Amino acid sequence: MIFFKKMIYFLKPLFSVVLGLGLGLVITKIAGEDPWNVLQILLKSAFGSRYDIGMTLFYSIPLVFTGLSVALAFQAKLFNIGAEGQLAMGSIAAAAFGIYFPNIPFPVAPILASICAFLVGAVWGAIPGWLRARRGSHEVINTIMLNFIASGLTSWMTLYLFRNLDSQNPETKAVGAGYWMPHLKIFGESPVSFSIFIALFAAFCVWFFLWKTALGYEIRAVGQNESAARTVGIDSAKIRILVMAVAGGLSGLVATNEILAHAGRFRLGFSPGYGFMGIAVALLGRNKPGGVVLAALLFGALHKGTSDLDLETENVTRDLSQILQALIILCVSAEGLWSFLLESSFGFKKKKKSEIRTL
Amino acid sequence: MEVFMWIVQLMASTCRVSTPLLFAAMGGMMSERSGVVNIALEGLMLLGAFVAAAATDFTHSPVLGAFAAFMAGLIFSIFYAFFVIEIGSDQIVAGTAMNMLALGLTPFFSKILYGSSTSTPSLPIEFRFQYAPVWIAFGVVVLCWVWIVKTPFGLWVQFAGEHPEALDCAGVCVKRVRWMAVLVGGGLAGLGGASLSIFLSSSFSRNMTAGRGFMALAALIFGKWKPIPAALACLLFGFSDAIQIRLQSVVLWGNEPVPVQFIQILPYFVTILVLAGFVGQARAPQALGIPFVK
């Protein structure tokens, strides 16, 4: 029975993905496309060549960071929709650092820039954490408002402070040559870099932090039962601020992939919504670091796959990616449906929900 | 005299830009008073904006466009209500998914209908509303107040949100009350979207709600889930938006105008400040966010 339950634990997300993808592809029928054809385009575009696989990985790396960010916050029952703003602030910080200190040599420069990105992202994440812990205002609304504020601030900094005057595009000047991360040559021309190891290391660190340290235990305790945590003397306000800060820092590390490996500068609007995709990644990955890495790969492939739809099909655009993600989340979130089905067919006990959210 | 005119204009424009917020906040109130968190307001508004623009373009009648937006919000809410009321999905997660779905579906259909995924064709002025939505919005606020405080159904909704077991004991189906509230709320949010695309501007453009659904939610919390205070909060956010538009290119210090980005973030900043500073001990409906299991 335990084996059976475990199998279902792993099969459920998989089934959700298949169901969500299936529904999404059926929708393309409305646009007059052949769903089978669309699926083939998706697969070919995501895994067709070494370069394509490289691009898939390149899109997956930021999703690992934002997915970890959302998942970590989730462990403390905080909903971090602000990864988008945190990654923007972290990225512009890394770019600014690289512009102000262009002469730092190689191994030191990217490390310092990454730390800078982490710290600024952490500050941006700590703000809603503080607001929630000390002022009681809900992090969902605050993080979304901070996304808009971050987008305004980065736009101002890009256009007024660090503008690259040689280019028509809204982008900053380039960082020094020492900042570039080495690329992985196996994936051809694609910009997959050393950042992939940082992402995997971050996933390991989050796992270690949450499940092998006392602080991580406190975080999960606050997430699972706040009043019980308070009774044993855990300062839940402090935990919340800390969790949001680390979550923001993780999002900020997206800079290692974009600024230090791909563009070498901050380009306005470089993120195709990595922060929001991170929510889907975390949910599908069940808020566990290992699951997040796998889910990030899937969504990275989805993003790369749909990016060719604009050219290859007449009516379906890359927006399909958004639809597919939403459907997958809905299928994952319909946990009650699963237990309902299981209860009626196998007689499992239904879990009682006792969680209160005020929003 | 000039200052007076400026103030009158500012007030008029405050009312105009508050309209979508008013509709959405009232829609949110319906659903939240019945115990269902509605993060999906943003997506419902976006969908309403698109459907209103498309329907008006098709029928050449803004009234039909607004009606279509209402229906679209209602129908989209059926999915949401099914997931959160019947299946018991996490309401914030399902709401986020609905927002993403709207964000993806609107350009998807825009591309099919008009060949462009960024915006719908611009509507001439005679196919758009002039002032009517402002009055309708205030009417809806009054109606909501009457409905929630003075009618039996409003009382049921309050009980569904505060103490569903009591309502159940009285022989009223809690789920049905929540269904009704969420669906009507969705329709109102759709109207809010419609007032963006066929009243405040002349077409639908990608992600044109820009966080207004969440602002409406913030206004609702600031207004302690009561119709009149929530409406006043909407007007406050509308005011910060209206003044934001007027402050652009105004020189406040030095000889350079204030960078436009700083002014554009004003409404968002005000939202955060208001939520952090003035809410005090807001008490949400007791059973908010908890699926009712009989």
Side-chain angles (χ1 to χ4, degrees), chain B:
Chain B
M1 201 56 206
E2 207 173 292
V3 175
F4 178 71
M5 279 312 289
W6 192 79
I7 290 173
V8 168
Q9 277 176 358
L10 185 62
M11 289 302 135
S13 114
T14 297
C15 289
R16 281 170 61 88
V17 297
S18 304
T19 312
L21 292 177
L22 284 172
F23 280 117
M26 290 305 118
M29 190 195 67
M30 295 247 183
S31 134
E32 302 229 331
R33 282 306 275 270
S34 80
V36 179
V37 174
N38 211 339
I39 286 270
L41 280 183
E42 177 87 4
L44 290 164
M45 283 178 87
L46 195 62
L47 199 76
F50 171 70
V51 170
T56 310
D57 183 63
F58 184 68
T59 62
H60 292 184
S61 154
V63 177
L64 285 179
F67 179 73
F70 183 86
M71 291 313 290
L74 203 144
I75 291 166
F76 200 54
S77 289
I78 293 179
F79 291 102
Y80 181 62
F82 175 73
F83 275 102
V84 299
I85 300 175
E86 296 299 330
I87 294 183
S89 306
D90 185 297
Q91 300 179 351
I92 294 193
V93 171
T96 308
M98 295 310 273
N99 286 339
M100 289 173 100
L101 197 58
L103 210 55
L105 281 179
T106 43
F108 179 78
F109 282 113
S110 171
K111 174 82 180 172
I112 295 174
L113 289 176
Y114 301 108
S116 152
S117 64
T118 49
S119 69
T120 59
S122 175
L123 298 162
I125 191 144
E126 60 268 24
F127 297 159
R128 281 157 27 206
F129 283 115
Q130 300 307 315
Y131 302 102
V134 176
W135 303 118
I136 299 172
F138 284 110
V140 163
V141 172
V142 174
L143 274 181
C144 279
W145 175 75
V146 171
W147 169 82
I148 203 130
V149 182
K150 303 283 178 196
T151 67
F153 185 72
L155 202 64
W156 290 355
V157 168
Q158 290 194 42
F159 264 100
E162 297 288 348
H163 203 309
E165 291 79 10
L167 191 63
D168 194 46
C169 285
V172 180
C173 179
V174 174
K175 283 186 177 173
R176 193 177 299 161
V177 172
R178 287 188 172 175
W179 265 93
M180 288 288 292
V182 171
L183 294 196
V184 176
L188 284 180
L191 279 184
S195 58
L196 268 179
S197 65
I198 58 176
F199 168 52
L200 292 180
S201 58
S202 60
S203 66
F204 167 84
S205 55
R206 202 190 180 89
N207 197 12
M208 77 182 308
T209 45
R212 283 190 182 79
F214 294 102
M215 271 189 202
L217 214 55
L220 188 63
I221 297 172
F222 183 39
K224 306 194 174 179
W225 287 271
K226 294 190 185 104
I228 308 289
L232 292 176
C234 288
L235 287 175
L236 174 70
F237 292 150
F239 178 72
S240 66
D241 203 10
I243 211 157
Q244 173 260 119
I245 298 163
R246 268 168 184 65
L247 272 182
Q248 292 183 13
S249 80
V250 168
V251 180
L252 281 186
W253 61 84
N255 42 17
E256 289 267 323
V258 186
V260 67
Q261 288 87 0
F262 283 149
I263 296 164
Q264 277 168 345
I265 62 179
L266 192 69
Y268 307 111
F269 195 65
V270 169
T271 307
I272 290 182
L273 274 190
V274 157
L275 276 187
F278 305 98
V279 169
Q281 285 297 312
R283 205 185 67 80
Q286 201 86 55
L288 187 58
I290 308 168
F292 180 72
V293 186
K294 201 168 178 177

Side-chain angles (χ1 to χ4, degrees), chain A residues 33 134 190 229 239 258:
Chain A
E33 298 291 339
R134 302 281 181 225
S190 69
I239 292 285
E258 169 67 22

